[in-house]
Amino acid sequence: MEIHYDPQLVEETVFQELARRERLEDLDLVRRFRSESDAIYDSHGVGQREREFDRLHQTFFRLLGLDFSVRAILTEFAGIEDKIATVLIGKAFTERDEVAELSLDCRNVGVKIRPRRFLDRPVLLRQMRHELMHVSDMLAEEFAYTYEGSLQVSSPMEESIVRDRYGLIWDIHVDGRLARQGKDTVLGRDGRAREFGAVYAKIPAPQREAIFANLWQAESLTHHDILGMAHDVREVLARAGDALDDTAHEKILLSGSPCPLCRFPTYTWTEDLREQLPKDTLKLIQEDYPGWEPEEAACERCLEAYAVHAQQ
Ligand SMILES: [Zn+2]
Ligand SMILES: [Zn+2]
């Protein structure tokens, strides 16, 4: 397995690390870099300089120990070392860009990291470990990862909700296992529980905590399990186990729950229908769905259709 670093990432990281050492008056490598850099100016023409500088930056990237973290973390993932031909480390511009990806043929891994991460080794180690755990899942047969180019959803908003939830649940699964292995990761139990609570705020606390505990402790969720939960909140609620009994019949209007009329996952609920809905529309719905009460709510599409129908 080969590890390649993007030259721009290498250059920026080397300069930032040299500047840091200069501030600490740790000058050995700073002086050596300057003299080797001057030598390139003196002995190469403009055309050749760029290649020589790239080589100089690569050399100092190693001398400064900046290649340590990636190599160290890769040794924790035997599955990746065996299956992957190349790991390409690229430059991320924002925190959101800092992700790992697997090529479609599953032979190459790309990881993007911001240059300044390299200056803080414990942080970089945690970040790399978390990202490579995602990659390791993607490569594991049991996880059964498939690339989902397009999801079965009806709007870009639903798509982004499903993708965000998928990411959230997968992150919980990644960090839960790492924590049990006694390894440092990007966010611990409390931090992930807060993220989960923010997204599933409408689930009452006792059930939400039971669901979170179930996900955090899970040893082997699959791609299919996680995607199912991301699409359908009933699959999330099913993980509450015994805690669900108390409020099993309580109506929880979560985005992604099925509309009681058309059964499609619903992302925008119209509430207070008892007050909001014209009487003739209400009557039409109850003719079609005799057991339905306005407190159960309905999706926008159904309400529009019945509103149109009522005017005819
Ligand atoms: Zn993650
Ligand atoms: Zn509906």
Side-chain angles (χ1 to χ4, degrees), residues 259 262 299 302:
C259 164
C262 66
C299 75
C302 284

mmCIF file of all heavy atoms in Angstrom, residues 259 262 299 302, ligand 2:
data_model
loop_
_atom_site.group_PDB
_atom_site.id
_atom_site.type_symbol
_atom_site.label_atom_id
_atom_site.label_comp_id
_atom_site.label_asym_id
_atom_site.label_seq_id
_atom_site.Cartn_x
_atom_site.Cartn_y
_atom_site.Cartn_z
ATOM 1 N N CYS A 259 -47.123 9.431 6.628
ATOM 2 C CA CYS A 259 -48.407 10.138 6.697
ATOM 3 C C CYS A 259 -49.494 9.095 6.970
ATOM 4 O O CYS A 259 -49.500 8.034 6.351
ATOM 5 C CB CYS A 259 -48.649 10.838 5.354
ATOM 6 S SG CYS A 259 -50.346 11.371 5.095
ATOM 7 N N CYS A 262 -51.591 8.649 3.274
ATOM 8 C CA CYS A 262 -50.958 8.038 2.095
ATOM 9 C C CYS A 262 -49.792 7.117 2.447
ATOM 10 O O CYS A 262 -49.286 6.400 1.598
ATOM 11 C CB CYS A 262 -50.474 9.123 1.133
ATOM 12 S SG CYS A 262 -49.130 10.115 1.814
ATOM 13 N N CYS A 299 -49.849 14.739 5.660
ATOM 14 C CA CYS A 299 -48.774 15.409 4.921
ATOM 15 C C CYS A 299 -49.337 16.526 4.040
ATOM 16 O O CYS A 299 -50.535 16.565 3.754
ATOM 17 C CB CYS A 299 -47.998 14.411 4.077
ATOM 18 S SG CYS A 299 -48.854 13.855 2.598
ATOM 19 N N CYS A 302 -51.277 15.335 0.782
ATOM 20 C CA CYS A 302 -52.646 14.870 0.983
ATOM 21 C C CYS A 302 -53.576 16.051 1.236
ATOM 22 O O CYS A 302 -54.676 16.122 0.679
ATOM 23 C CB CYS A 302 -52.726 13.914 2.166
ATOM 24 S SG CYS A 302 -52.100 12.268 1.775
HETATM 25 ZN ZN ZN B 2 -50.178 11.914 2.840
#
